[in-house]
Amino acid sequence: MTERPTALVTGASRGVGEAVARALAPTHHVLLGGRDTEALGKLAGELPDARPWPVELTEVGPADVAGVERLDLLVHSAGLALLGHIAELSADTWRRTMELNVVAVAELTRLLLPALRAARGHVICVNSGAGQRANPNWGAYAASKFALRAFADALRLEEPELRVTTVYPGRVDTDMQRSVRDQEGGAYEPDRYLRAGTVARAVLAAVNAGPDAHLTEITLRPSEGPVN
């Protein structure tokens, strides 16, 4: 029997990250990245070959990735959405948003590049419709997602032996979306949003495209509902 490929999924304690981890579980050894150790432990116990990888992504360092010598798949799913008019957004809001949505992604990828190169691996960035267009009140979040898009594009060119995919989902039925709707002052309408499992299947489509294919971008929108 061949050894299972290894995947590391950030934001795995809930939402899209959890759905991606569950989708990969039948075929991969999954490292479950996140801060909620209790939720990660519970999820690991439900999957056939997974273990928690508790981490504060904004403080990730070499010690956190020690022992990861080969990595077939890295899925960046953790994120932060803080909305507001640019005239009212504090510098701290911009820094917090960029730190998690961009800087942490870049640093974790940098630290894991030797392991990814060893496996000729795959990096997937779960972005957002906000990474393709900016709307009022979404300035900081959209800026971070445009930057994440640029990061993925540059990584793809700099590391030609790796596959790099950006997934752009619209609104997804998750706890993050509940927070977004609270900030917008609107009703939560899950039937108008994508399911987390739908986004996970898009991730699987990129992973399973075959060695001769490189899906660089995937855009998903709810069949009914807002674009962003």
Side-chain angles (χ1 to χ4, degrees):
M1 293 181 63
T2 59
E3 185 176 347
R4 280 175 169 235
T6 297
L8 192 161
V9 181
T10 69
S13 61
R14 61 180 184 168
V16 171
E18 177 185 349
V20 169
R22 290 185 183 277
L24 292 170
T27 54
H28 287 69
H29 169 60
V30 186
L31 302 177
L32 306 170
R35 292 182 297 178
D36 189 335
T37 55
E38 182 177 351
L40 295 176
K42 182 177 182 296
L43 179 59
E46 298 173 5
L47 302 181
D49 186 7
R51 67 177 176 88
W53 189 70
V55 67
E56 172 51 67
L57 289 170
T58 59
E59 300 174 1
V60 70
D64 294 300
V65 302
V68 183
E69 297 181 356
R70 180 183 176 91
L71 186 63
D72 299 272
L73 176 62
L74 172 59
V75 181
H76 293 290
S77 185
L80 175 69
L82 299 174
L83 310 187
H85 287 285
I86 289 173
E88 300 168 356
L89 290 176
S90 68
D92 180 66
T93 296
W94 283 91
R95 291 189 185 102
R96 288 172 60 199
T97 301
M98 292 294 182
E99 190 70 26
L100 181 58
N101 293 358
V102 186
V103 178
V105 170
E107 180 63 0
L108 180 59
T109 304
R110 184 186 72 83
L111 292 170
L112 288 169
L113 269 178
L116 287 161
R117 289 168 178 158
R120 297 174 66 93
H122 194 166
V123 178
I124 297 182
C125 296
V126 179
N127 199 297
S128 166
Q132 296 173 311
R133 59 178 250 174
N135 287 308
N137 297 316
W138 288 74
Y141 183 72
S144 74
K145 292 302 185 177
F146 270 73
L148 181 61
R149 177 183 185 177
F151 165 79
D153 290 348
L155 180 66
R156 189 181 302 115
L157 295 172
E158 292 179 5
E159 300 288 336
E161 292 191 348
L162 304 184
R163 289 190 292 171
V164 181
T165 303
T166 295
V167 180
Y168 299 99
R171 293 183 187 252
V172 187
D173 180 16
T174 62
D175 289 343
M176 175 184 278
Q177 192 60 229
R178 290 185 183 277
S179 171
V180 165
R181 294 303 287 151
D182 284 344
Q183 293 177 72
E184 292 177 320
Y188 192 75
E189 303 173 286
D191 291 342
R192 302 184 68 202
Y193 311 146
L194 294 164
R195 302 288 184 264
T198 301
V199 182
R201 286 191 292 275
V203 170
L204 280 188
V207 172
N208 295 327
D212 60 327
H214 188 166
L215 289 180
T216 58
E217 295 186 321
I218 302 174
T219 298
L220 300 92
R221 294 290 180 267
S223 55
E224 296 183 18
V227 172
N228 64 326

